[in-house]
Amino acid sequence: ETLGFWGSEGEWNTEFWEICEDRGWKEEKGITVNHFTKFLSKDPDLSREELVELIEALQGKRDVPISDSWARQSVASNLVKLRTRSDVVNALFNCLQCKDTGRIGSQELQRYAKLSGFDGDDDDWAEEYEDLCAEQGWNKEQGLSRAEFSVLMNDDAMGADEELKAILMELRMPQKRTMAHMSQWAGKSRVRREVEEMPRDELINEAFTSLDVLRKNLLGSREFRRYAELTGYDGGDEFWDEQYQELCEDYGWTPDVGVNKEQFIDFIGDESNSTDEE
């Protein structure tokens, strides 16, 4: 976080697993001093000056983040760069495709379906896949081309862009960590049902905790923008500063300090700002 990582806890789990995989570390054992020393010494984006600033930030002598060197290379940040649904679908195809054929066959699509909530066994999937091939006009032996997969995924019934991004992240995680997301194959996942059953005040607390990635009990402009984008803001960088300033003026927040939990609760306590479903 001192170097610009701002993803959620789930995104960090993915990030950490990727680092361990790349470097041959044992995730469950953590990082040794030797590992950490080699990791920092081989980071071309971390200058000596930034290393000094990093130490000062960890000691509470400097505000974070001190740079965006981590964000430029992180898994979570790369997902943010997938701005259109087409970008996300192409990334999914690249992750799922069979390396030998360059297509998505029954086995590869089953992997996606399970992450989307399909809970049948292999026999159930074989029947499901055959039905899909018949309905969509796919060659079941060859599997789906990139164009055929795009047609399938561009159906809104396959889930929102953020759900597809979450599945994309989970495709790169160990099997033990994956969990189902809502799509045409699953009415509602267990996790989604649990969230929907939470009282509104608990939902608001959970939302604040997820947004507070720096764990400062404050949402600055960047963190609050994540909330805004998830609830419909699409003005981009050009208008966000102005939008945030106006919100601070309207609600009595201090822009340089940020929004604390009580202020956040007041802000979305009115369902006109966010419904329970959102």
Side-chain angles (χ1 to χ4, degrees), residues 34-252:
N34 188 42
H35 288 157
F36 187 66
T37 302
K38 289 182 178 179
F39 177 73
L40 288 184
S41 65
K42 292 181 179 180
D43 185 351
D45 292 316
L46 186 64
S47 66
R48 181 180 178 83
E49 290 74 18
E50 283 181 326
L51 185 56
V52 173
E53 291 175 357
L54 184 148
I55 294 171
E56 291 176 346
L58 292 172
Q59 293 173 340
K61 299 177 181 178
R62 183 181 290 272
D63 292 336
V64 298
I66 62 170
S67 81
D68 64 350
S69 62
W70 190 291
R72 290 197 299 270
Q73 60 182 339
S74 77
V75 175
S77 296
N78 286 335
L79 284 180
V80 174
K81 294 175 185 176
L82 303 177
R83 298 193 178 278
T84 68
R85 189 176 183 89
S86 178
D87 291 338
V88 180
V89 171
N90 273 319
L92 277 170
F93 184 89
N94 293 339
C95 198
L96 286 166
Q97 67 178 325
C98 173
K99 303 307 178 187
D100 293 333
T101 66
R103 301 173 77 92
I104 294 177
S106 174
Q107 184 176 351
E108 291 78 31
L109 192 61
Q110 183 182 17
R111 187 181 174 203
Y112 171 83
K114 284 183 176 179
L115 287 173
S116 302
F118 180 80
D119 59 0
D121 58 22
D122 289 345
D123 290 338
D124 294 329
W125 173 251
E127 183 177 344
E128 178 82 5
Y129 179 69
E130 190 158 339
D131 288 344
L132 282 168
C133 289
E135 291 171 6
Q136 302 288 337
W138 304 333
N139 183 316
K140 67 179 183 179
E141 303 299 332
Q142 292 182 355
L144 285 69
S145 66
R146 186 180 297 271
E148 289 169 332
F149 184 70
S150 295
V151 170
L152 173 69
M153 299 307 298
N154 281 324
D155 185 339
D156 289 339
M158 298 303 291
D161 292 359
E162 292 305 316
E163 291 174 312
L164 299 189
K165 284 184 181 181
I167 291 174
L168 179 59
M169 289 188 71
E170 291 189 32
L171 283 168
R172 306 186 68 181
M173 295 170 68
Q175 187 66 28
K176 64 182 180 180
R177 280 193 179 157
T178 58
M179 67 185 204
H181 289 267
M182 184 178 180
S183 82
Q184 70 170 27
W185 278 300
K188 293 178 181 177
S189 71
R190 175 182 59 79
V191 173
R192 189 180 181 95
R193 285 198 301 272
E194 289 176 357
V195 170
E196 288 184 342
E197 290 169 1
M198 293 171 67
R200 183 173 177 82
D201 59 343
E202 289 184 22
L203 286 170
I204 295 173
N205 275 317
E206 187 70 24
F208 183 89
T209 301
S210 298
L211 291 164
D212 180 24
V213 294
L214 297 180
R215 300 296 179 258
K216 297 172 67 175
N217 290 317
L218 287 168
L219 305 181
S221 173
R222 181 172 56 181
E223 292 82 24
F224 202 83
R225 177 174 170 177
R226 291 190 70 204
Y227 165 78
E229 289 174 336
L230 288 169
T231 53
Y233 175 77
D234 60 359
D237 295 338
E238 183 179 354
F239 300 106
W240 174 247
D241 287 344
E242 180 180 346
Q243 181 75 44
Y244 181 67
Q245 289 292 332
E246 289 179 0
L247 283 169
C248 289
E249 290 176 9
D250 290 344
Y251 289 91

